[in-house]
Amino acid sequence: MTITTAQRSDAVQLWSVRRTYGTGDNAVTALDGVTLGFPTGTFTTVMGPSGSGKSTLLLCAAGLERPTEGTVVVADTDLGPLTERARTILRRDRIGFVFQSFNLVSALTAEQNVALPLRLAGRRPDPGIVRRALSEVGLADRATHRPGQLSGGQQQRVAVARALITRPAVVFADEPTGALDTVSSREVLRLLRDLVDTHGHTVIMVSHDPVAAAYADRLVLLADGRVADVTGALDAGSIAARMAGLETRE
Ligand code: ADP
Ligand code: MG
């Protein structure tokens, strides 16, 4: 098993993070002492059986949940001492999110959706920057379309452009291809891969799909709230075999 550590230079660091829900007999330990770094400019997939703590890890790493114990550092900022307001601002300015369900505003055009994080930050979106973000995801010719006029894959690419518009230190993607067909999934995964390779973005994705995980250059395997393994890039077959190993072990 690989020894897992975090380094000060990582875009996101978790140090001995524990997260329990409930108290007494009902207490559940979702994360049980996780120390992990996500290096800047890498694409990591987090995998593990249902209930292993993947969502909790993402929520803690993104500052949406507070760990019960331990430290989370995003873009060199320790989230622990921050007020709720400071955490909200850090999330808005330094973190991008892509969800399984796209979460686009149906009444807004693609370019209005992409510009939304800037508007929420009280900034006047530069149309050139918004258009450039759309062309980076291959949708320059769809700027004035609304979500209902776009395919699932195109909608998710709009969501990726929106996640990137603030130039975040890290993009979290929770099952980003869960609602897509095979062709659209491949399109979105190639885009995430390209963002890392060409633009140096940092992507952390949760997925249960070995084919999706094979696009990443690092794989974090969770079991029972602990890091079971960290590996480099693997092909889908090897990933499926490791997942099967985790799911059958006691
Ligand atoms: P995964 O995403 O890998 O399926 P989760 O992080 O969602 O795992 O959950 C890990 C464990 O923590 C599970 O046992 C789950 O039931 C529990 N859990 C997660 N969130 C909560 C919550 N809000 N309240 C109580 N238990 C929770
Ligand atoms: Mg989950």
Side-chain angles (χ1 to χ4, degrees):
M1 188 187 295
T2 315
I3 302 297
T4 60
T5 52
Q7 299 190 347
R8 302 280 166 202
S9 58
D10 293 336
V12 178
Q13 304 150 34
L14 285 82
W15 300 92
S16 307
V17 169
R18 275 173 55 79
R19 180 63 163 103
T20 55
Y21 293 104
T23 52
D25 288 349
N26 297 322
V28 176
T29 302
L31 289 179
D32 194 9
V34 169
T35 296
L36 204 51
F38 296 91
T40 299
T42 62
F43 181 176
T44 305
T45 303
V46 179
M47 298 189 89
S50 177
S52 60
K54 303 181 296 293
S55 295
T56 306
L57 182 130
L58 212 66
L59 293 170
C60 287
L64 288 160
E65 294 262 13
R66 282 185 188 272
T68 310
E69 284 172 38
T71 304
V72 176
V73 180
V74 177
D76 297 324
T77 303
D78 180 350
L79 303 189
L82 300 185
T83 62
E84 282 307 321
R85 178 164 165 69
R87 288 152 71 88
T88 302
I89 291 169
L90 181 124
R91 272 201 305 275
R92 190 187 69 197
D93 295 345
R94 310 296 290 133
I95 297 177
F97 290 97
V98 178
F99 303 93
Q100 178 171 342
S101 50
F102 320 142
N103 289 9
L104 299 176
V105 180
S106 58
L108 299 181
T109 64
E111 63 187 348
Q112 288 167 338
N113 269 286
V114 171
L116 204 54
L118 298 177
R119 289 202 180 279
L120 291 174
R123 284 146 67 183
R124 183 186 294 271
D126 176 337
I129 287 173
V130 173
R131 293 280 171 144
R132 201 172 319 132
L134 275 172
S135 75
E136 271 174 27
V137 301
L139 291 175
D141 57 344
R142 296 286 189 275
T144 58
H145 289 54
R146 290 182 214 285
Q149 301 169 304
L150 299 170
S151 71
Q154 290 171 334
Q155 290 183 58
Q156 194 61 306
R157 285 190 278 145
V158 172
V160 171
R162 179 184 57 184
L164 293 171
I165 197 69
T166 59
R167 302 267 138 214
V170 56
V171 174
F172 291 100
D174 194 358
E175 298 275 3
T177 60
L180 299 177
D181 61 40
T182 310
V183 172
S184 300
S185 292
R186 200 177 303 146
E187 197 177 282
V188 167
L189 291 162
R190 281 221 191 93
L191 171 62
L192 294 175
R193 183 69 259 169
D194 180 59
L195 293 171
V196 174
D197 291 341
T198 311
H199 303 280
H201 286 295
T202 307
V203 175
I204 302 174
M205 173 174 82
V206 167
S207 178
H208 67 272
D209 176 7
V211 173
Y215 282 79
D217 34 42
R218 288 172 78 240
L219 189 62
V220 169
L221 288 167
L222 292 183
D224 301 326
R226 298 203 178 107
V227 178
D229 207 355
V230 179
T231 77
L234 292 174
D235 61 63
S238 312
I239 295 169
R242 285 186 190 232
M243 283 292 290
L246 282 183
E247 268 157 10
T248 55
R249 77 177 200 179
E250 278 304 303

